[in-house]
Amino acid sequence: MQQCQICGKKQANVHLKQVLDGETLELFLCEDCAEKGGLRVDPGLGMAEFVLGLTSAKDNKEKRRREEDISCPSCHMRRADFKKTSRLGCPGCYDAFAADLAPMLAEMHRGVVHVGKSPRGAPCREDIGALRKALAAAVAAQNFEEAARLRDLIRAATAGGAEAGAVSK
Amino acid sequence: MIVNDLVKHQNPWLSLGRETGIVVSSRVRLARNLKDRAFPGWAGEKECDRLCKEVADACGKVGRLSGAVVLDMAGLDELERELLKERRLISSEFADRRGGSALILSADERIAIMVNEEDHLRLQAIAPGLCLEETWREIDAVDSEIDRHLNYAYSPTLGYLTACPTNVGTGLRASVMVHLAGLRLTGDFDRVMKGLTRLNLAVRGLFGEGSEAFGGMVQVSNQSTLGESEQAILARLLGIVQDLIVHERNARARLMEKSRIVALDQVSRALAILKHAMLISSMEAVELLSILRLGADLKLVDGISEAGINELLLVTQPGHLQMRLGRKLDSKERDRMRAEFVAGRLRHVEIAEQRG
Ligand SMILES: [Zn+2]
Ligand SMILES: [Zn+2]
């Protein structure tokens, strides 16, 4: 019987699997730990976010994002506005409503990660790919300090337009 | 007025170019937004105005857009909007926009940029015949040039960020307008349409979203924009369109082999009504001209080319008809003018073959 990889106590009956750049990352969790982490699917960061959410207190904010009254820090669109119109308020909304968007995008599109043209000066996909691989490895090795550092690097690199900055309205 | 001038021009994407008989036109559209700015539907009017100016300034620096006109949507009357919509230069949604949005239109009408439609920029290239690769290259180049002067909202994981998640990623919507009149006459049309929706493609009629497939005129476009490169999206669509062409060609060949008299009958009836009716609605015009277009492809009619019929399909639309006459007409007057106009154009068109 598989034990929960987080608490190491209870029986793992949640199986998380994520493929990052061809590498499969797996986690076995008990239901309690899974719920505590709040399963967030975010390509490239999902599982690391989840694990780090459990292990670092400063990420507790992440969990609150799942609550009903979240709104976009950049444009102040509320989750209810988005649900009503199915239109986002600003580029930053993709971060704010990531949890709602992930299953929608998976349903609508053939993939969940962008492939194709990028604007001038956009971070190179290859660099980010390497960072993601390193992140996956760090999580697998339960080296959460390193994982957190890599996560922040990826965040910084992928922020383009989706930063929580001031949005002019 | 510039829009008024359009009515005097032949629409380049309907009238010239490679005549496949089946593919009317190809269009590639890109959705783009500016970094850290609220999307048009969520931004205030002042912000929309400001953004319009920024985009117009940036487009002014783009070589391919030299000689382009910038049309402030607030300054256009109902007829002008209708005309632009019928020429497929703006969407129905955009036609209803007032202040804070603009259309940037290249002199040759091949490039149209809607500013503050659902996204900050909707760039389209449209051309006659089957030319997805060419229209993509054209709009890709314009997009890259604009990118030098504006900061696009982009995430390496999700690509170009758009107001609606259905467009995120490449922001690319490629469409091909096909004329499936043969499949309609053989009765295979519905089956083929069902197959298309199963392939996860959007299928629409001649006049965009929500319009019916009058006359077997169908616009096929990709739905997925995320997870595949532009090239992959275009290649998939092209493959499907080529299949459709084969189906339609086969249907036309079957018609000529097995039911030549039926085809001839349909075309003769369409021509007779078009030449002699006193009132023709725009819907009826599309249906009948579509059959005539099939007749021209099958060499059953003399005196008009497919390009000529393409043009008639456009200029018999309400906006074009009224613009030509320079005033608003009620629907009865329109039907009368349409019938008169069509009869005049088709005066010398005859059935080519002896009945037999
Ligand atoms: Zn546990
Ligand atoms: Zn927002």
Side-chain angles (χ1 to χ4, degrees):
Chain A
M1 183 196 302
Q2 179 86 37
Q3 268 187 339
C4 172
Q5 288 178 295
I6 298 297
C7 63
K9 288 174 199 143
K10 282 173 250 170
Q11 182 189 337
N13 37 23
V14 177
H15 182 197
L16 278 183
K17 204 167 165 186
Q18 192 175 20
V19 180
L20 282 178
D21 299 306
E23 281 173 34
T24 308
L25 181 57
E26 281 183 290
L27 260 189
F28 292 90
L29 306 168
C30 72
E31 273 167 12
D32 291 346
C33 289
E35 202 177 326
K36 253 190 277 168
L39 294 183
R40 227 184 121 227
V41 192
D42 180 342
L45 284 174
M47 194 176 302
E49 287 288 315
F50 170 72
V51 175
L52 292 166
L54 285 172
T55 52
S56 97
K58 75 169 185 188
D59 275 354
N60 278 345
K61 254 191 272 166
E62 289 287 318
K63 288 180 220 162
R64 252 177 267 139
R65 284 187 169 195
R66 301 185 57 75
E67 290 163 21
E68 281 306 306
D69 58 347
I70 53 166
S71 63
C72 172
S74 308
C75 74
H76 312 295
M77 175 173 266
R78 291 164 306 156
R79 185 169 178 257
D81 299 321
F82 168 52
K83 290 263 150 176
K84 202 159 62 192
T85 62
S86 303
R87 299 291 185 279
L88 296 156
C90 79
C93 287
Y94 278 91
D95 262 357
F97 307 123
D100 289 312
L101 281 163
M104 291 172 70
L105 294 174
E107 170 95 354
M108 288 167 182
H109 299 289
R110 290 184 163 263
V112 291
V113 177
H114 175 57
V115 184
K117 190 173 179 177
S118 59
R120 145 193 70 90
C124 172
R125 275 189 60 78
E126 284 65 41
D127 295 351
I128 291 161
L131 284 175
R132 283 212 197 105
K133 271 185 202 158
L135 174 63
V139 170
Q142 308 211 2
N143 182 352
F144 297 128
E145 212 174 302
E146 173 66 0
R149 190 185 71 84
L150 291 164
R151 176 204 54 188
D152 292 344
L153 283 176
I154 294 174
R155 273 209 182 140
T158 56
E163 278 162 308
V167 165
S168 30
K169 257 199 91 170
Chain B
M1 169 78 245
I2 287 144
V3 179
N4 214 336
D5 290 342
L6 289 180
V7 80
K8 295 172 206 138
H9 297 170
Q10 285 226 321
N11 188 302
W13 58 260
L14 269 185
S15 317
L16 354 140
R18 278 136 301 177
E19 201 70 335
T20 69
I22 290 164
V23 177
V24 180
S25 60
S26 305
R27 170 165 65 167
V28 171
R29 186 218 73 193
L30 294 175
R32 297 289 186 256
N33 288 280
L34 303 195
K35 199 178 165 190
D36 296 337
R37 308 283 287 269
F39 296 134
W42 192 245
E45 197 168 323
K46 266 197 192 128
E47 166 66 2
C48 284
D49 275 334
R50 193 144 49 100
L51 196 132
C52 249
K53 286 192 191 83
E54 284 170 50
V55 173
D57 283 350
C59 290
K61 296 172 192 153
V62 173
R64 175 68 179 81
L65 295 174
S66 70
V69 291
V70 180
L71 298 168
D72 181 356
M73 288 307 284
L76 298 186
D77 66 28
E78 210 183 309
L79 274 186
E80 292 168 323
R81 292 158 192 276
E82 189 69 27
L83 185 96
L84 293 170
K85 200 166 84 181
E86 288 169 4
R87 287 174 102 81
R88 296 173 65 215
L89 298 170
I90 63 173
S91 61
S92 307
E93 190 184 310
F94 199 67
D96 295 332
R97 283 251 174 189
R98 294 292 183 268
S101 21
L103 173 71
I104 300 169
L105 187 59
S106 72
D108 59 5
E109 279 184 65
R110 281 171 71 105
I111 308 282
I113 302 171
M114 289 186 281
V115 188
N116 287 331
E117 203 241 25
E118 183 180 280
D119 294 299
H120 293 145
L121 290 95
R122 286 282 178 96
L123 308 108
Q124 82 162 32
I126 188 165
L130 185 57
C131 53
L132 285 171
E133 183 59 36
E134 186 187 326
T135 40
W136 155 247
R137 275 200 308 270
E138 219 173 330
I139 208 64
D140 179 34
V142 171
D143 175 54
S144 297
E145 264 206 79
I146 294 175
D147 179 40
R148 286 165 49 202
H149 308 290
L150 296 171
N151 290 314
Y152 282 151
Y154 175 84
S155 130
T157 38
L158 290 178
Y160 292 93
L161 302 173
T162 52
C164 184
T166 52
N167 296 313
V168 79
T170 56
L172 170 76
R173 188 86 60 215
S175 320
V176 178
M177 179 79 75
V178 286
H179 182 215
L180 305 179
L183 286 166
R184 263 192 138 204
L185 282 186
T186 58
D188 297 313
F189 184 78
D190 290 343
R191 189 177 49 80
V192 172
M193 286 300 103
K194 252 188 219 136
L196 285 180
T197 23
R198 244 181 276 129
L199 285 169
N200 215 349
L201 291 163
V203 184
R204 293 180 205 141
L206 183 53
F207 300 105
E209 224 138 339
S211 71
E212 277 176 66
F214 294 124
M217 286 284 182
V218 175
Q219 185 182 302
V220 188
S221 27
N222 66 298
Q223 271 187 312
S224 167
T225 54
L226 180 65
E228 270 182 319
S229 69
E230 291 85 357
Q231 291 301 336
I233 291 170
L234 294 171
R236 177 193 311 286
L237 182 64
L238 180 63
I240 288 158
V241 169
Q242 281 165 339
D243 281 351
L244 272 179
I245 294 174
V246 171
H247 280 307
E248 173 65 17
R249 276 272 161 247
N250 288 342
R252 291 184 186 192
R254 269 203 312 281
L255 269 178
M256 290 306 277
E257 259 169 48
K258 299 200 176 121
S259 355
R260 187 186 195 86
I261 192 72
V262 173
L264 204 50
D265 175 64
Q266 291 288 322
V267 175
S268 305
R269 281 165 185 271
L271 183 60
I273 296 172
L274 287 166
K275 283 173 84 164
H276 302 293
M278 306 301 272
L279 299 169
I280 302 180
S281 71
S282 60
M283 233 184 293
E284 191 181 16
V286 172
E287 290 286 359
L288 297 173
L289 287 168
S290 156
I291 296 171
L292 194 65
R293 194 178 185 276
L294 175 72
D297 178 61
L298 298 176
K299 312 262 182 289
L300 299 177
V301 284
D302 275 343
I304 192 159
S305 66
E306 277 173 61
I309 299 168
N310 287 351
E311 207 214 331
L312 268 181
L313 276 164
L314 180 69
V315 299
T316 52
Q317 290 306 303
H320 276 75
L321 208 59
Q322 296 174 87
M323 205 68 149
R324 183 175 289 275
L325 288 159
R327 63 187 175 96
K328 269 199 81 72
L329 305 170
D330 66 32
S331 80
K332 192 65 149 285
E333 280 180 299
R334 283 206 300 270
D335 292 354
R336 176 80 198 99
M337 296 315 295
R338 184 179 294 113
E340 219 168 73
F341 182 74
V342 170
R345 282 287 185 97
L346 299 181
R347 210 169 44 242
H348 303 298
V349 178
E350 298 295 342
I351 293 297
E353 277 181 59
Q354 303 265 308
R355 283 157 194 258

